[in-house]
Amino acid sequence: MHTGSKFWLVLPFILIFSACTPGSQGNPAFTETTGGSTPVSTENTGSLTTPTGTSTNIAPTQPIASLQMLDADNGWAWTNSARLLRTTDGGQTWSDRTPAGQVMSDGFFALDARTAWLSIYLQDSSRFGLLHTGDGGQSWTEYPYGPGSALHFTNSSNGWATPGEGAAGSIYYLLSQTGDGGKTWTPVPVTPPYPDNSLPPGTVHLSSTDSFYYDPARMLAVYGDMITMQPRGSVRLQVSFDLGRTWTAQNLPLPENYQDALVNPYRPVFFSDKSGLLPVSLVKMNNDGSFVYQRLVFYSTQDNGAGWKLIPGGLNAAQYAPMQIVSGKDIFVVCGSALCTSQDGAQTWSTVASNLDFSQSGSRSVSALDFVDSMKGWAVIQENDTARLYKTNNAGVTWELQTPKLAASAPVTVTDDVSLPTPTLIPTPTLKP
């Protein structure tokens, strides 16, 4: 998901490119709460607290697991049990905007504080549908067809989706687009870099550790080494500017002293029609599975993605380390127990002297890292069954533990758009391990 100039990066086989199956939810689901009009806080754990009221049967709410702030005041969040929340005061209070009775999927995209789309699974018709709101989630309109994940909108009308279905180390992408705000969708007629006549037309078939990027101006496939576990000596990618009718292959050089690395690419990020960044994780492992090194490097483009150059330097960061590219200059990455930042587009890096421990283990993770600019940001630390929300106003130097409260609000409504015709379904790939 991204909105404005912020970019959330996930390696290819994590949430953004996960397989969407009926009933599976990238945002886990939860129990209703009831209450009155005055939010109050209880234990300072960073989890949501219910407002007081006349009801004597108030269920405890679940802690925030991830969030997407649009600016210093407005944002959206998911709880540990898949409640969708919205804030207008920087995360101090939240309103529950979960549409009742829906089986939610991995797809969510917020264009602004009031406009958002949410993928759902329609059990009665065994297909994905879409919910749309224009009033901050107070009311939703249900459309009878929509992509199951990977939504992107540039305005209230135009958008596309690149959902991926996974099987046996592969991912199959089928692209679709809308020009009426998500009411109807049509396939994007792309030609993949390696066409397969056994798959529906337009299916892009890649390895689960490759990365894939599409927007109407370009399409890129970046190939990883983590399936074969054989280093190739370069970062291999292909780019097309004509929906795949022609592809140009490139082999990007690896940094000196990392020629034997296994390549694990993130998705490329573009800030304009010209400039962009490609983060790549470089890994070397011992025979016992321990790491010789884990290195994060960046490549930059100034010509729409036609050519890429290695940015000298880089930093030591684990594979799948939480990362956010806020702009073409500002980048934040979790590096060990610390937070590392660049303010010049990955040319130089510094370690923030922070009061917050960012270390991760089997029972502890940084489930959200979200900056709206170079100074203001939020982080969610999950440890066992506890999640804590923190906020910084000074680029990560000082973090304050938050105690978000649940504000009372009118019931969320969902209305079917009965004016739409029966959709022509976009075929899904035939997945045969």
Side-chain angles (χ1 to χ4, degrees), residues 40-50 386-388 401-405:
V40 296
S41 63
T42 55
E43 182 182 0
N44 191 22
T45 62
S47 61
L48 290 174
T49 56
T50 54
T386 302
R388 291 180 169 87
L401 180 64
Q402 305 294 294
T403 308
K405 309 169 189 67

Side-chain angles (χ1 to χ4, degrees), residues 19-80:
C20 295
T21 56
S24 70
Q25 300 182 14
N27 307 294
F30 97 66
T31 47
E32 282 289 346
T33 61
T34 58
S37 59
T38 306
V40 296
S41 63
T42 55
E43 182 182 0
N44 191 22
T45 62
S47 61
L48 290 174
T49 56
T50 54
T52 58
T54 57
S55 172
T56 58
N57 188 27
I58 298 176
T61 57
Q62 296 295 318
I64 288 176
S66 63
L67 75 165
Q68 178 188 357
M69 298 301 297
L70 307 173
D71 54 44
D73 297 317
N74 298 285
W76 302 78
W78 290 98
T79 72
N80 266 344

Side-chain angles (χ1 to χ4, degrees), residues 110-126:
L111 181 67
D112 53 44
R114 298 181 63 82
T115 310
W117 293 261
L118 175 63
S119 297
I120 56 173
Y121 185 71
L122 305 173
Q123 294 175 302
D124 57 344
S125 54
S126 299

Side-chain angles (χ1 to χ4, degrees), residues 32 118 139 188 320 365 394 416 432:
E32 282 289 346
L118 175 63
S139 62
V188 179
Y320 327 125
S365 66
N394 56 8
D416 288 343
K432 296 181 179 179

Side-chain angles (χ1 to χ4, degrees), residues 284-353:
K284 183 177 180 180
M285 303 175 70
N286 293 310
N287 292 333
D288 61 2
S290 61
F291 291 101
V292 178
Y293 57 74
Q294 298 179 84
R295 187 77 172 170
L296 180 65
V297 298
F298 289 79
Y299 296 81
S300 66
T301 182
Q302 300 297 328
D303 56 6
N304 304 331
W308 296 83
K309 293 183 179 180
L310 174 66
I311 299 176
L315 71 159
N316 295 325
Q319 293 185 91
Y320 327 125
M323 177 198 312
Q324 188 191 5
I325 298 178
V326 184
S327 66
K329 292 184 177 180
D330 297 301
I331 308 171
F332 293 89
V333 181
V334 172
C335 48
S337 61
L339 185 66
C340 293
T341 181
S342 175
Q343 298 178 329
D344 55 13
Q347 296 183 60
T348 60
W349 292 90
S350 60
T351 301
V352 180

Side-chain angles (χ1 to χ4, degrees), residues 384-423:
N384 297 317
D385 297 327
T386 302
R388 291 180 169 87
L389 176 64
Y390 297 86
K391 183 179 180 180
T392 181
N393 290 310
N394 56 8
V397 175
T398 304
W399 294 85
E400 294 183 358
L401 180 64
Q402 305 294 294
T403 308
K405 309 169 189 67
L406 189 63
S409 60
V412 174
T413 62
V414 178
T415 305
D416 288 343
D417 190 335
V418 297
S419 67
L420 297 177
T422 301

Side-chain angles (χ1 to χ4, degrees), residues 63-137:
I64 288 176
S66 63
L67 75 165
Q68 178 188 357
M69 298 301 297
L70 307 173
D71 54 44
D73 297 317
N74 298 285
W76 302 78
W78 290 98
T79 72
N80 266 344
S81 50
R83 303 302 291 191
L84 177 60
L85 310 175
R86 176 176 175 261
T87 184
T88 58
D89 60 7
Q92 297 179 60
T93 58
W94 297 82
S95 299
D96 193 330
R97 292 296 186 251
T98 312
Q102 304 293 332
V103 179
M104 293 175 285
S105 181
D106 288 347
F108 177 78
F109 186 89
L111 181 67
D112 53 44
R114 298 181 63 82
T115 310
W117 293 261
L118 175 63
S119 297
I120 56 173
Y121 185 71
L122 305 173
Q123 294 175 302
D124 57 344
S125 54
S126 299
R127 67 170 182 258
F128 289 105
L130 197 65
L131 297 181
H132 171 256
T133 182
D135 60 6

